Amino acid sequence: MTDRPYARVQVRVRRHRAQRELASFDDRLKAAQEAEEPRIPAEWREASVLAATIHPFAGLGHQVSSWVSGELWARDLGMRFAGGALTQNSSNLFSLDRDVNVPRATPKVRLQAVPNELNAHALTVLKSEVDEALARYRRPVQFSLALDQARFDQTPASATIRQAVLGGTQGASIEKWESSVPRVVLHVRRGDVNASTPGSDTVPRYVDLAWHQRVATQLQEHPALRDLPISAVLQDPQPGEVRDALEPLGVEVRAGGERDSDFAWMASARVLVAAPSSFSFFAGMGSRGVVVARHPWWHHVPSEGRWVRADMEGALDTEELTRALE
């Protein structure tokens, strides 16, 4: 998109359209529930494809989140996933290309925005729209989602993200560092986030340094981790207050580094403490180590397997951490 002012207007129009569609969701659900279910040959649906519509100017973590959302909705709808344009992935940090052959004459249909999958009826409405389009065109269709169609639990795509980061430009570094000295890594989100950055009503985007100090101390006190080196990654090239807070605890502060290398450093950690950031959350999804994440967040944070929740004050459950490390 070369005409950036015009492209930004297009994004605003798409966003407002999605908001209007969400506001009318109840009426659409009623219509879907009252409609007769058409008889659709299974091959029409299976040969159809679904593409994600991704914000072209968002950060890479946000874009990958929309991509993952599209893949998971495609699974639910029983059709192939055609991916989406990741404009911030020019370095191929994530190898997420989808080579899906679609005949040129295939009809194109945009599905209207629905709530995330926590709404039990969201899939009902999407399936109704898909069925209506397949019945109308009587052949496979190329579907696309609304801009940034939401998905709350993205962790079912962990295997896909793991494959994508190992297949990307940092894959060799991740595998090399994973097999070297195990490390604990904290992601401290600064630079684009400060204490005045708005979050949601219940989930602030900014995490104060006391939270990081408390989490770091608890990890260092765990018998399985006390001898591991610990570092903090942040993009801000002026890390003064972060150094003052964390270096006395023995935390090495790595500031102002290159984005993709920082991602690989996080994704290869034995334990990663993710910030409220899609970037480090996907580093955790693509890793094979333990992931500690603040809970609640905009996306689901599991409390099973290799995932451990830290509360809003930075407190960890020692038994959960021990279980994840085993």
Side-chain angles (χ1 to χ4, degrees):
M1 305 178 83
T2 57
D3 186 353
R4 293 178 68 89
Y6 176 69
R8 290 185 184 278
V9 170
Q10 283 186 313
V11 170
R12 287 198 294 271
V13 169
R14 289 175 179 174
R15 181 176 290 164
H16 291 154
R17 181 181 180 183
Q19 290 171 344
R20 292 195 302 270
E21 290 166 354
L22 289 172
S24 67
F25 177 76
D26 288 343
D27 292 335
R28 291 159 53 208
L29 172 61
K30 182 179 180 182
Q33 291 173 329
E34 293 176 351
E36 292 186 10
E37 186 173 349
R39 293 184 178 181
I40 305 296
E43 57 267 25
W44 291 358
R45 189 186 314 277
E46 293 168 359
S48 295
V49 300
L50 179 70
T53 303
I54 298 172
H55 194 307
F57 306 117
L60 180 57
H62 182 109
Q63 290 189 341
V64 174
S65 179
S66 294
W67 192 100
V68 166
S69 176
E71 184 188 54
L72 296 177
W73 283 117
R75 292 182 193 178
D76 289 344
L77 291 168
M79 62 182 68
R80 297 176 296 162
F81 181 50
L86 298 169
T87 60
Q88 303 298 324
N89 192 39
S90 58
S91 63
N92 198 37
L93 177 61
F94 294 87
S95 179
L96 288 172
D97 292 337
R98 284 291 181 269
D99 185 14
V100 177
N101 294 321
V102 181
R104 183 170 296 181
T106 302
K108 295 182 178 180
V109 172
R110 175 192 173 277
L111 300 175
Q112 298 185 61
V114 296
N116 66 39
E117 80 281 8
L118 294 184
N119 185 306
H121 302 299
L123 186 58
T124 298
V125 171
L126 284 180
K127 283 183 174 178
S128 176
E129 291 186 14
V130 166
D131 286 348
E132 191 276 331
L134 293 175
R136 182 169 72 251
Y137 289 105
R138 302 186 62 77
R139 53 180 164 150
V141 171
Q142 183 175 359
F143 295 99
S144 61
L145 292 168
L147 178 69
D148 287 344
Q149 172 60 55
R151 191 83 185 192
F152 178 64
D153 186 2
Q154 306 217 332
T155 57
S158 292
T160 299
I161 295 299
R162 172 72 176 176
Q163 182 179 16
V165 298
L166 292 184
T169 51
Q170 293 293 321
S173 294
I174 291 171
E175 291 185 306
K176 174 184 175 181
W177 288 337
E178 281 179 338
S179 62
S180 62
V181 178
R183 294 166 284 105
V184 176
V185 178
L186 289 76
H187 182 210
V188 182
R189 189 171 182 184
R190 293 293 186 270
D192 64 333
V193 170
N194 56 49
S196 62
T197 302
S200 69
D201 292 339
T202 57
V203 184
R205 189 179 295 271
Y206 178 81
V207 179
D208 62 35
L209 289 171
W211 188 92
H212 292 287
Q213 289 173 317
R214 187 173 185 186
V215 171
T217 299
Q218 291 171 92
L219 294 177
Q220 289 171 316
E221 291 174 347
H222 193 280
L225 302 175
R226 62 167 57 109
D227 295 327
L228 299 191
I230 180 169
S231 59
V233 170
L234 66 155
Q235 294 297 129
D236 193 339
Q238 298 180 328
E241 65 169 354
V242 177
R243 289 192 191 280
D244 292 344
L246 296 180
E247 286 186 343
L249 300 177
V251 178
E252 175 198 8
V253 176
R254 301 163 60 97
E258 192 271 331
R259 182 196 71 177
D260 291 6
S261 180
D262 282 348
F263 181 91
W265 188 252
M266 292 189 291
S268 58
R270 176 69 180 91
V271 178
L272 169 64
V273 180
S277 161
S278 296
F279 190 64
S280 57
F281 196 78
F282 283 120
M285 281 179 58
S287 79
R288 64 183 187 188
V290 171
V291 185
V292 176
R294 195 182 67 173
H295 178 266
W297 190 44
W298 294 282
H299 291 301
H300 173 59
V301 177
S303 58
E304 59 190 11
R306 60 190 183 87
W307 293 82
V308 178
R309 293 173 176 176
D311 68 18
M312 300 296 280
E313 284 70 47
L316 302 175
D317 185 314
T318 303
E319 292 184 0
E320 274 197 14
L321 180 58
T322 300
R323 179 260 308 152
L325 287 166
E326 292 176 347

